[in-house]
Amino acid sequence: MHAASGQRLGASNPREEGPTDLRLVPPALAAWVTAAVTLGGPPGWVAGVAVVCLVVGGALLIAGRRGAHRDSEEGRAGRRFGFGEGQHGDRFREGLEGSRFREGAEGGRFRDGLEGRRFRDAPEVRRLGERREGIPFADGRRGERTHRWPRVSVAAVLLCVAAAAASAGLHGADLRRGPVPALARQYAQVTVEVEVTSDARLTRPRVKGDHAAPTAVLLDAEVRRLMRADGTDVLMRTPVLMIVEAGSARGSPPLSDERSPWLSLLPSTRLRVAARLAPALSGGDEIAAVLRVRGSAPLEVVGEPSGPQQFAGGLRAGLRQATDGLDADARALLPGLVVGDTARVTPELDEAFKATDLTHLLAVSGGNFTILLALFIGPPGLAQRVERRGLAPRLGVPLRATALFGGALTIGFVIVCRPDPSVLRAAACGSIALLAIATGRRRSLIPALATAVLLLVLYDPWLSRSYGFVLSVLATGALLTLAPRWSAALQRRRVPPRLAEALAAAGAAQAVCAPVVAVLSARVSLVAVPCNLLAEFAVAPATVLGFATMATASVALPAAKALAWCASWPVQWIADIARTGAALPGGGVDWPGSWTGALLLALAVVAVVFVGRRLLRHPWLTGVCGALLLLAVVQPPPLTRVITGWPPPGWRMAMCDVGQGDATVLAAGAGTAVVVDAGPDPILVDRCLGALGVTRIPLVVLTHFHADHVAGLEGVLRGRSVGAIETTGLEEPADQAEFVRREAAARHIPVTRAVSGERRRTGGLDWQVLWPPPSSAPTPDGPNDASVTLLVRSAGLRMLLLGDLEPPAQQTLLRSPAAAELGAVDVLKVAHHGSAYQDPDLIRRVAPRLALISCGEDNPYGHPAPSTVAALRAGGAVVLRTDEDGALAVVGAGGGLSVARH
């Protein structure tokens, strides 16, 4: 004990740890699996499982009780044998505890007898069994322990299975009860009274073809009253998902605006809404139906939220108000880090957190609650000692009163942060720990975690299917089991203790959670461990300052703003780590997003750990492997070009693989390029420009405002110097035009309008705008036919970029004065992703040698059309497409024209 402490004089409070108590783990796991399997199952089958397990478990318990009675009889016989009481029993105990007995003749005879066959084979000793720690052999309570314990353990597992099946059956029946499921199958229009059970959240922006799907507000709710047409009401309690769809009510704020009344609703608010019911998607969601409400419908509140929810809502609103003056990242992240309020987190920042596996920081994980408890009761290891720290002992609060105040803090934490899976798991573990403190019993974290899992799954079986709950439990289990062992192994290899603990915690959590994360994201992050390690130093100060900001905002807003400003520094550090890690070209690798892929990743992790343990014995080899991993993640452009050949030397034009959209890059010098369109996804276009080494963009040309050409603009602008943005004159769709203006204004980038006849030049690149004319009159399909069309010259190459022009505009272009510039071209960017709507006269006029088509794999539009591909090939063009060939780069000129694929 003293040697293991690492101190020259030994540990100040030495104690010998016993084996980990795992008795509650099998029942907890059995209840978890049972709940996940039986949810939504046939009622008869679920009831049969519960009854059979209950009967068998009860029978095992009764048999165990009879065995205990028989053992007590043998215990009395054992006392007559002389080891329980009397002179021989005293001598036996003294022989175990005293050195005189162990070293004397009697001790020798005892050991010889214990080891001898004659003593072991005595019938009385066989019945009495082994007994340690100086307690009599035949106590009556310990006899035949090795035979009775498996029986009791199996009975406990069966009873927990029965309870989980019963709970899952009852919760599943709630979804089938009442008229709502039947009305949902009929897509009925209903008027209902609902109670909101969650905070409002916005859907992620999605690009569907040429337009961006409008955002909607999602609310978990329960239907409490259904108003029939005949004037009668039906009372119920049926869980539903309420989707408030975008609806244009004049003068009302958009759904994505923080002023929208739908976004300010608090849990427990009661509403009366007219909506359409729809069936819930399959997959076991805990809702009976979907309730679709038009956003333009009036918001009719019939019941105010409860007092606790109003208090919690006031705290959350005060936190948002105190962060209003901060930078964008801090304003978005601080409420998310403290209370899980991610309403202000942009999709780009959210993707950065996902790419670096830092999303747990925005999910109010158990770490937040641990920090609060440690601040209040002191470090867990000192919670029951005289030397305990924290605010409670400094304020003179007794130990049991500390536990009571901690329980109140737990309840408040769940109310303010909302009962998400990770919050519930952390609160349950914390409550059990507080109960151990209050009763003076020694705390054990593994039994606490198992108890928390068991109670939560029995209370809410739907948690058994929650990925958030799975990740929370796995991460906590890794921190309690693997991390201490890995930390000790690192310290034995002379790693400083604090660094060893941090490395072990980050590595263990990532190793255990990575297979589940891969199922969700179909990607494995290679920078998760270092990013989590670097972010961990900022989590505690950001959390403490954030909660202090929330607590003071309602009473002293200026002080809260000052605290929020202090908290913004560690929060910004976390945001910078996420952005930097996500921007690394080798920061992640694609992985099969299935449970088979998860199993393969788990095997890979085991192999890495097995090899890593042996690598640690060879520091120089460890350093070489670390350097190779660093090169694979950073991927320096010179090294990447040598290994992959991308981008090819001397490339003139590149077509990025951005899915169903357009993004073309025209080289204009070292690290400089003109970008034509931005594609639908900012991440994809950002990766493409990063791989091409583009850091300076004199001009971004957006041919028109359809979402598959402009939605990725944020990725083009990210971390690059941009001179100007040029667009078409027809600002339709209006929402996408407004998005472009907003992104440009946020970065102080001027926006200009392209007109026919304009000529520009930068570096070795020059181009001419052929379309639209200054006084264009677009057809009803205006956005496509208003596309900016460019004729580009670079090192002897002629390249024609048609945007999404369709036959009416293509024919008009051939009759316009700009047609004089048209002629044979080397490269044609085929219009509208190679759709069937092409003018054959234009194709014959330009007679391209190389035709490039940008389209998405398995897109629902059938792009490119076989007729278009056939017409291009009939004219002598080589046709390449991003859905089959990936990103494309044009190299050379004249007869040496070639294309590299990536």
Side-chain angles (χ1 to χ4, degrees), residues 17-22 446 476-493 495 497 500-505 507-509 512 609 613 616:
E17 292 286 351
T20 304
D21 188 353
L22 301 178
I446 294 293
T476 304
L479 295 178
L480 297 179
T481 56
L482 293 180
R485 292 178 172 83
W486 291 6
S487 175
L490 291 173
Q491 292 181 50
R492 286 195 298 270
R493 289 166 175 82
V495 178
E501 291 175 0
L503 283 172
V512 174
V609 173
R613 291 179 59 186
L616 289 176

Side-chain angles (χ1 to χ4, degrees), residues 662-737:
D662 269 359
T664 305
V665 188
L666 304 171
T672 304
V674 171
V675 177
V676 182
D677 288 327
D681 190 332
I683 295 177
L684 295 179
V685 70
D686 182 28
R687 288 177 182 169
C688 178
L689 293 175
L692 293 170
V694 175
T695 58
R696 194 175 73 87
I697 303 175
L699 181 69
V700 176
V701 179
L702 300 177
T703 59
H704 59 297
F705 289 104
H706 276 159
D708 55 337
H709 292 251
V710 303
L713 179 61
E714 189 177 17
V716 175
L717 306 180
R718 186 182 305 155
R720 297 178 180 89
S721 172
V722 179
I725 297 175
E726 191 171 62
T727 69
T728 184
L730 183 65
E731 297 188 350
E732 293 181 7
D735 59 334
Q736 294 305 300

Side-chain angles (χ1 to χ4, degrees), residues 337 361 365-380 390-391 409 413 426 536-545 547:
L337 186 67
L361 298 180
S365 63
N368 302 58
F369 187 57
T370 301
I371 292 171
L372 286 183
L373 275 184
L375 182 67
F376 182 65
I377 67 175
L391 292 177
L409 179 65
F413 179 79
E536 191 64 30
F537 297 103
V539 171
T543 301
V544 173
L545 290 171
F547 273 103

Side-chain angles (χ1 to χ4, degrees), residues 294-646:
R294 295 296 300 173
S296 57
L299 182 60
E300 185 179 357
V301 178
V302 298
E304 296 296 328
S306 63
Q309 291 295 349
Q310 290 185 15
F311 176 73
L315 291 177
R316 294 166 71 95
L319 178 60
R320 287 194 297 270
Q321 186 179 3
T323 58
D324 283 340
L326 303 179
D327 293 337
D329 284 346
R331 184 170 63 251
L333 289 181
L334 188 57
L337 186 67
V338 176
V339 294
D341 182 1
T342 58
R344 292 174 170 174
V345 176
T346 62
E348 176 267 332
L349 186 58
D350 184 52
E351 288 295 335
F353 270 72
K354 288 180 179 178
T356 52
D357 282 358
L358 289 173
T359 50
H360 62 92
L361 298 180
L362 302 179
V364 193
S365 63
N368 302 58
F369 187 57
T370 301
I371 292 171
L372 286 183
L373 275 184
L375 182 67
F376 182 65
I377 67 175
L382 301 178
Q384 297 184 27
R385 301 186 190 174
V386 177
E387 301 86 356
R388 63 193 181 102
R389 303 168 189 167
L391 292 177
R394 295 182 185 277
L395 297 175
V397 180
L399 190 61
R400 297 195 177 184
T402 299
L404 293 177
F405 283 120
L409 179 65
T410 303
I411 296 174
F413 179 79
V414 173
I415 293 175
V416 173
C417 298
R418 308 303 190 227
D420 290 329
S422 59
V423 175
L424 289 175
R425 194 271 312 155
C429 284
S431 299
I432 294 171
L434 290 170
L435 181 63
I437 292 175
T439 57
R441 295 181 180 273
R442 182 170 175 263
R443 186 183 58 161
S444 181
L445 292 179
I446 294 293
L449 177 62
T451 304
V453 170
L454 179 60
L455 295 178
L456 290 175
V457 168
L458 294 180
Y459 172 74
D460 185 4
W462 293 105
L463 288 175
S464 63
R465 294 185 177 182
S466 168
Y467 283 105
F469 187 72
V470 172
L471 290 172
S472 179
V473 173
L474 287 178
T476 304
L479 295 178
L480 297 179
T481 56
L482 293 180
R485 292 178 172 83
W486 291 6
S487 175
L490 291 173
Q491 292 181 50
R492 286 195 298 270
R493 289 166 175 82
R494 300 182 180 179
V495 178
R498 294 291 179 87
L499 179 59
E501 291 175 0
L503 283 172
Q510 180 64 21
V512 174
C513 296
V516 180
V517 175
V519 173
L520 296 175
S521 62
R523 189 171 175 82
V524 177
S525 175
L526 300 180
V527 297
V529 172
C531 286
N532 276 273
L533 186 62
L534 293 172
E536 191 64 30
F537 297 103
V539 171
T543 301
V544 173
L545 290 171
F547 273 103
T549 300
M550 183 176 64
T552 57
S554 58
V555 294
L557 188 58
K561 288 182 175 293
L563 290 171
W565 180 84
C566 295
S568 67
W569 290 88
V571 168
Q572 188 62 52
W573 168 260
I574 296 173
D576 291 342
I577 290 171
R579 292 186 189 278
T580 303
L584 292 173
V589 294
D590 294 332
W591 197 268
S594 62
W595 287 111
T596 302
L599 178 60
L600 292 176
L601 183 57
L603 295 176
V605 169
V606 172
V608 169
V609 173
F610 180 79
V611 174
R613 291 179 59 186
R614 281 147 183 80
L615 280 178
L616 289 176
R617 302 172 185 172
H618 308 283
W620 64 271
L621 189 57
T622 302
V624 170
C625 293
L628 292 176
L629 179 60
L630 182 62
L631 290 176
V633 170
V634 176
Q635 295 183 8
L639 181 62
T640 304
R641 178 172 294 179
V642 171
I643 295 176
T644 66
W646 184 269

